[in-house]
Amino acid sequence: MKTITSLVILFLLFFWSGVNNTCAQSANDTVIFNTLGKFNFNFTYSGYTPLIDRLGRPYVYLATKELGLVTFDVSNTMNPVPVDSQTVVSLGNLKVTGLAQDSIYLFVSLGDFQGSGQNAGLAIFDVSNPVVPVLLDRWDTTAFNTGVATVIQQGNYAYLGAMSAGVVILNIANKQDIQFVSQIIPDTTFGNQTHVYHARGLFLNGDTLLVANDNGGLRAIDVTTKQSPVEIGKYINNTMSAVADPFYNHVYRIGNYAYCAMDYCGFEVVDVAIPSLMAEVSWLDPWNCTKLPPPFGSWNGSDGHTNEIAYSSSQNVLFFSGGDSEVLALDPSNPLQPRIMGSWGVANDSVGTWGVDVFGNLVALANIRTFGFPFVSTVGGLQLLNWNLVLGVEDNDQKEMTMNIFPNPAAEKFTLELPTIEKTDYTLEIMDIFGRMVLKEEIKSKKSEIQTNKLQNGIYLVRLIQDGKTITTDKLIITD
């Protein structure tokens, strides 16, 4: 069992006590973020896209552009430690930009997408042992030389958002022999054509590929036949175009709705049930984006820039990297009225994010170092957060409830004390940092003793549930 130092425990107790004092209940569900550890790179190096290991192992992979692929051990989430680095030199001198994972396979997009003229590429690693990734194959081509912004994977195919080169489809059935299949450039004559169009974020639902095509709007591509993909839908927000230049950075589809990261213009929801008839549903603009002064309007210096998107399907919460606003949680339950339900970070604090990932209750942010444009960020690296969803009291139809856990930190056991106990029984659930339930007990009295001798040392989330709804949460630290 790993131990947590007394210094870390004292810090956690101090920090969490402050968090608990500031978490007021409300009529709406709220996402609460808690700060964990971070790792900052030296010099001008940046983090771009983080990926928490999808096999539940305590590792985070980070696409870092100039530093290549860096793997972090996050078994102690207060102190993420880099344990492996796959250098740019080992990847054909192509910078690392995006990540996707399928079981033991890690897909790494290659090629700087910010104007350096690098080839579009893909590398596949075997991460059976995350500390020793094994490169299985690397592919790139001079035919597409504007880099790659992102990679997604489904079945035997990988899809690259290859910027002005559009979407590139690769056959990855043989992980040791990547094969080019096809390319499609979405219609360059559609939209206002104020800025260059770039295939950025991608989302695949069945055989319909949604493409966040930057200033070119949202596109739908039929990839039923991988050798000849066809554009079947194109959309741009005309309401937004009247006041600002829309930039579609990323897209995530839930049911018939696409949730789009609109850079300095916030969030947009688009009805994509019929791809050829995509239609505006709603637009949430927290930063009051404008076109003036030209040519970039409030893009330069805006308090926020939504970019990458992650999703918690179990809690139905979308997470957006927010640039200068770092990370924002969005409630997608009502597409007509999307709502920011939580955020972490302070605008104009000289720290900004490019990418975000979520797995269980762990959030990973990639901090990007900039040179003052479009926002100031002097920190590059990895930031970890913990998050939990607190249901609004009015929505819950519950009286405000608190619980007292002592001792905390705990070793073999702790005592749970409630101010009252109602006829309806309560359920106590303890979740680890990845959101996995490790202990569950029925609570039938105001004071209960909970055995924790089978839990490993670490940080846990404790939830009190009544009638299937979470009514209060708290932290728990297990140590020797």
Side-chain angles (χ1 to χ4, degrees), residues 436-479:
R436 297 173 296 202
M437 186 168 61
V438 295
L439 191 150
K440 181 177 181 179
E441 287 200 19
E442 298 300 318
I443 305 300
K444 298 183 179 182
S445 62
K446 292 176 60 176
K447 200 170 186 177
S448 305
E449 190 173 271
I450 310 299
Q451 298 294 324
T452 58
N453 56 304
K454 293 184 179 180
L455 299 183
Q456 293 186 348
N457 291 356
I459 306 168
Y460 295 85
L461 175 70
V462 180
R463 303 194 302 195
L464 190 66
I465 298 171
Q466 185 181 32
D467 297 328
K469 298 178 181 179
T470 302
I471 57 175
T472 189
T473 63
D474 205 344
K475 93 298 182 183
L476 172 67
I477 301 171
I478 300 296
T479 186

Side-chain angles (χ1 to χ4, degrees), residues 41-264:
F41 296 126
N42 295 325
F43 307 110
T44 60
Y45 300 128
S46 288
Y48 276 76
T49 295
L51 180 69
I52 303 167
D53 183 78
R54 286 309 192 256
L55 296 180
R57 301 169 297 183
Y59 295 94
V60 173
Y61 310 101
L62 188 63
T64 66
K65 201 175 176 182
E66 291 88 352
L67 286 174
L69 170 67
V70 179
T71 302
F72 288 85
D73 183 332
V74 297
S75 53
N76 180 355
T77 53
M78 294 303 300
N79 183 33
V81 178
V83 291
D84 182 76
S85 179
Q86 301 293 316
T87 66
V88 167
V89 172
S90 70
L91 295 170
N93 291 314
L94 297 177
K95 297 177 181 178
V96 175
T97 59
L99 301 167
Q101 185 181 358
D102 180 31
S103 184
I104 62 169
Y105 300 110
L106 187 68
F107 303 92
V108 181
S109 61
L110 304 174
D112 188 4
F113 52 82
Q114 293 185 319
S116 67
Q118 287 205 326
N119 295 349
L122 176 71
I124 302 178
F125 286 90
D126 181 334
V127 290
S128 298
N129 182 355
V131 179
V132 189
V134 177
L135 179 63
L136 300 178
D137 194 22
R138 181 180 62 81
W139 172 93
D140 70 271
T141 177
T142 57
F144 316 128
N145 61 357
T146 53
V148 178
T150 191
V151 56
I152 63 171
Q153 170 272 337
Q154 185 182 86
N156 291 329
Y157 296 91
Y159 303 79
L160 305 180
M163 301 298 282
S164 58
V167 177
V168 174
I169 303 178
L170 303 173
N171 188 318
I172 54 168
N174 182 346
K175 303 298 186 291
Q176 296 179 327
D177 186 21
I178 303 169
Q179 294 291 321
F180 172 77
V181 177
S182 63
Q183 172 207 24
I184 181 170
I185 299 178
D187 184 359
T188 58
T189 65
F190 174 80
N192 56 33
Q193 303 181 56
T194 305
H195 305 281
V196 177
Y197 294 175
H198 299 119
R200 296 279 301 273
L202 306 175
F203 188 91
L204 186 60
N205 180 46
D207 288 318
T208 300
L209 179 69
L210 294 177
V211 182
N213 204 38
D214 211 350
N215 190 228
L218 182 64
R219 308 300 180 91
I221 309 293
D222 185 340
V223 294
T224 302
T225 304
K226 306 296 187 289
Q227 292 75 17
S228 55
V230 179
E231 183 171 15
I232 57 174
K234 41 197 173 187
Y235 163 87
I236 197 163
N237 187 321
N238 291 320
T239 303
M240 190 183 305
S241 297
V243 296
D245 293 322
F247 292 96
Y248 289 75
N249 285 349
H250 215 282
V251 57
Y252 198 98
R253 179 171 178 170
I254 303 175
N256 289 329
Y257 300 97
Y259 293 80
C260 304
M262 300 303 298
D263 208 297
Y264 69 106

Side-chain angles (χ1 to χ4, degrees), residues 2-51:
K2 299 181 181 295
T3 61
I4 300 178
T5 67
S6 58
L7 181 62
V8 171
I9 291 172
L10 287 172
F11 168 79
L12 284 168
L13 287 174
F14 172 79
F15 174 79
W16 279 92
S17 64
V19 169
N20 290 339
N21 289 337
T22 60
C23 295
Q25 298 279 354
S26 70
N28 296 313
D29 299 351
T30 303
V31 167
I32 303 298
F33 292 97
N34 302 306
T35 307
L36 298 175
K38 64 182 178 180
F39 185 92
N40 294 338
F41 296 126
N42 295 325
F43 307 110
T44 60
Y45 300 128
S46 288
Y48 276 76
T49 295
L51 180 69

Side-chain angles (χ1 to χ4, degrees), residues 265-287:
C265 285
F267 317 84
E268 183 184 9
V269 184
V270 181
D271 187 334
V272 294
I274 304 175
S276 61
L277 298 173
M278 292 187 287
E280 177 183 352
V281 176
S282 58
W283 170 31
L284 177 60
D285 176 18
W287 302 301

